[in-house]
Amino acid sequence: MESERSAIIELHMAGKSPSEILKLLNNAKGRRAFIYRTINRYKETGDTVDKPRSGRPYSVTTSALKKVVRERIRRNPHRSMRKMALELNISRRAIQKVVKRDLGMRSFKRKKVQFLSGSVKEKRVSRSKSLLALHAIGVLENTIFSDEKIFTIEEATNSQNDRVISASVSAIPDKFRYISRMKKPLSVMVWAGVSAVGRTPLIFIPPGVKINAKTYQELVLEPVVKGLSQTMFSGQQFVFQQDGAPAHTANTTQDWLKHNIPNFIHKDEWPPYSPDLNPMDYSVWSILENKACSVSHNTVSSLKISLCREWEKIPQETLRAAVEGFRTDSGPSFPKRVVILNK
């Protein structure tokens, strides 16, 4: 190290530039910054010796400590670094350095997921494979994905990234500092559907109306879904998707679909507990909510107006990308006819 610094200073005194020194020393230490620091230190102090360092050297990490921390994490990864630091009688900062720098680990937030029994997992796998097989041969190309969601008049917020920039908390105006929440905010249920080529209008379920098989058929299937072949798909056949809600899986609803929709995914073919498969759930609803509910509304009418306005503003390319996210790469070869589409 010292010999390299001496060589750099000799070349510098000979009139060589840092770039020339770098080439002559065969990329000394592999860092141009090392040459600049050495030259600057020589100019400031007349020497190449390191400056006194501030603070205590980082020496708490030992092989024994690494081993102890690694073993504790192995036994129980759901550990608090603060508690681990207290137990080992070292600082939390030291624990963080051991975990991140020495062990190459970092902490992750746990996620809430739907509980799935063994039988449900098997159904999800087998039915998903069937859908993939149909998607691979183009059967699901003109699929319209549908869903319902309840929107409230309250402002939508994401606690993970909802921040306010200010010099202090007290300096933040109240309208930005707080997000009001009600015990039972006014709300409206909305039905909608999207495909790669279009979208349905938003259907608002009247207040006080319970969505059962009869109302679902009267409010959604008859006036909207029945004519989609002409209104959205230019006379082509399409595949209708819905989840496993009771109104959707009712025998009368399934019979209605058999007689009125050329192809639909049968109630026994859509994977159970699978909102992660529906573009409405994993993408479209959140896009709409972030736009339409960026501020709170005083009335349900105001909320409806905002929802309709922002619904029409969503670019079709955004909806197409969400739909194509249902399956973006080719999967393994499965039997070509597993999901029973109604003839």
Side-chain angles (χ1 to χ4, degrees), residues 257-273:
L257 290 169
K258 289 177 182 177
H259 289 94
N260 294 277
I261 304 300
N263 292 301
F264 71 95
I265 300 177
H266 191 270
K267 65 178 182 178
D268 294 327
E269 308 304 336
W270 184 253
Y273 303 104

Side-chain angles (χ1 to χ4, degrees), residues 168-324:
S168 65
V169 174
S170 59
I172 304 174
D174 286 352
K175 66 177 182 178
F176 298 115
R177 186 176 179 181
Y178 303 108
I179 299 176
S180 300
R181 286 291 180 261
M182 307 176 192
K183 190 173 183 179
K184 292 183 178 180
L186 297 175
S187 62
V188 61
M189 178 178 282
V190 183
W191 178 94
V194 296
S195 74
V197 297
R199 73 200 78 186
T200 70
L202 297 182
I203 304 299
F204 297 104
I205 308 304
V209 174
K210 183 179 180 180
I211 292 296
N212 53 30
K214 184 174 182 296
T215 55
Y216 179 58
Q217 294 165 34
E218 293 177 349
L219 298 177
V220 175
L221 297 182
E222 278 285 351
V224 181
V225 177
K226 189 175 183 178
L228 285 177
S229 177
Q230 300 301 322
T231 59
M232 186 180 296
F233 296 102
S234 303
Q236 299 180 19
Q237 291 190 356
F238 67 95
V239 178
F240 179 63
Q241 178 277 337
Q242 56 182 4
D243 60 24
H248 304 169
T249 60
N251 290 335
T252 56
T253 298
Q254 295 291 302
D255 289 340
W256 186 97
L257 290 169
K258 289 177 182 177
H259 289 94
N260 294 277
I261 304 300
N263 292 301
F264 71 95
I265 300 177
H266 191 270
K267 65 178 182 178
D268 294 327
E269 308 304 336
W270 184 253
Y273 303 104
S274 299
D276 52 327
L277 290 182
N278 191 334
M280 296 296 297
D281 277 310
Y282 64 69
S283 178
V284 179
W285 283 138
S286 59
I287 294 173
L288 178 60
E289 185 175 44
N290 288 338
K291 296 292 186 180
C293 302
S294 59
V295 296
S296 59
H297 298 273
N298 294 324
T299 64
V300 172
S301 296
S302 172
L303 172 61
K304 289 181 178 179
I305 293 172
S306 181
L307 287 169
C308 291
R309 180 178 63 248
E310 298 302 332
W311 178 246
E312 295 302 324
K313 286 184 179 180
I314 299 176
Q316 183 58 40
E317 284 305 311
T318 299
L319 300 181
R320 175 187 290 275
V323 170
E324 290 177 350

Side-chain angles (χ1 to χ4, degrees), residues 5 8-9 33-42 48:
R5 288 173 176 167
I8 291 171
I9 296 305
F34 173 69
I35 296 175
Y36 279 99
R37 285 199 305 269
T38 301
I39 294 173
N40 289 334
R41 183 179 298 121
Y42 180 79
T48 59

Side-chain angles (χ1 to χ4, degrees), residues 1-16 21 25 28-29 34-35 37-39 41-42 46-50:
M1 175 76 74
E2 192 60 36
S3 62
E4 286 180 323
R5 288 173 176 167
S6 299
I8 291 171
I9 296 305
E10 289 179 6
L11 292 170
H12 170 67
M13 298 300 291
K16 300 296 183 182
I21 295 173
L25 295 182
K29 289 184 71 67
F34 173 69
I35 296 175
R37 285 199 305 269
T38 301
I39 294 173
R41 183 179 298 121
Y42 180 79
D47 202 346
T48 59
V49 179
D50 279 345

